[in-house]
Amino acid sequence: MSSLLFVCLGNICRSPLAEGIAKHIAREHGLSIEIDSAGTGKWHIGEAPCEASQRIALKNGIDISDLRARTVLPEDKERFEKIVAMDKENKRTLEDLGFRNTKLLGDYGDYGGKDVPDPYYATDAIKEVFTMIRTCVEDIFRKEFHV
Ligand code: 4NP
């Protein structure tokens, strides 16, 4: 596998964190993988990641300030081998749009299929969100890329 797309609702809180963490791990291990993120919604297209996500990423040595939100596109179906949704609603939306190669982030890292909490209205959940995303993304790299 050499391409990975992370998807949430707005592409400003959760999936940019997953993208930043995944790119960081790929760089650390010298892996050449296409990594991107997108939202199922269109409200925040062109926006930078939310402040809480930017801040916690930077605290952990990852700068996500240059990422910009986009919506999922039909061509993502062909472009990405694996598409990882942050919660079940995102996954269902992708399936309704005809995406077949979707997984739930919470299926990795012993989270038992848990949804990544949406931090948009609860920024105090951001630490829990970051820990879950990092743990699950690390597990993806262990299972899919053997690092
Ligand atoms: P995200 O968070 O899906 O993690 O980017 C959200 C961002 C925006 C909205 C909801 C969730 N919104 O309703 O605009």
Side-chain angles (χ1 to χ4, degrees):
M1 192 183 53
S2 60
S3 53
L4 201 48
L5 179 69
F6 296 99
V7 175
C8 63
L9 183 60
N11 193 213
I12 52 168
C13 299
R14 293 166 293 175
S15 60
L17 272 179
E19 178 184 346
I21 291 166
K23 284 180 170 167
H24 184 79
I25 297 173
R27 208 174 305 122
E28 264 183 352
H29 292 276
L31 295 170
S32 161
I33 306 163
E34 185 178 9
I35 297 163
D36 199 1
S37 66
T40 57
K42 296 188 169 79
W43 312 281
H44 298 282
I45 291 172
E47 288 181 25
C50 69
E51 243 184 82
S53 291
Q54 287 201 42
R55 203 175 317 121
I56 193 130
L58 207 53
K59 242 185 176 171
N60 287 275
I62 302 170
D63 184 356
I64 59 168
S65 62
D66 62 343
L67 301 184
R68 292 295 176 267
R70 72 168 179 91
T71 191
V72 288
L73 301 166
E75 52 263 41
D76 291 328
K77 283 175 207 164
E78 307 303 322
R79 188 172 151 207
F80 293 96
E81 280 168 80
K82 192 177 285 285
I83 305 194
V84 183
M86 298 294 117
D87 65 35
K88 293 178 198 71
E89 189 189 315
N90 309 147
K91 190 170 187 291
R92 211 171 307 123
T93 305
L94 288 167
E95 284 163 359
D96 289 346
L97 290 168
F99 284 82
R100 294 282 164 264
N101 45 347
T102 60
K103 287 280 261 183
L104 199 59
L105 187 76
D107 282 336
Y108 292 94
D110 291 328
Y111 275 87
K114 185 179 183 277
D115 287 343
V116 182
D118 187 341
Y120 189 54
Y121 296 106
T123 49
D124 51 345
I126 197 70
K127 249 178 116 166
E128 178 197 340
V129 166
F130 183 85
T131 301
M132 178 175 177
I133 293 176
R134 180 168 59 189
T135 304
C136 296
V137 170
E138 283 172 352
D139 195 36
I140 291 177
F141 275 78
R142 255 193 308 276
K143 292 195 168 120
E144 309 288 350
F145 304 109
H146 313 289
V147 301

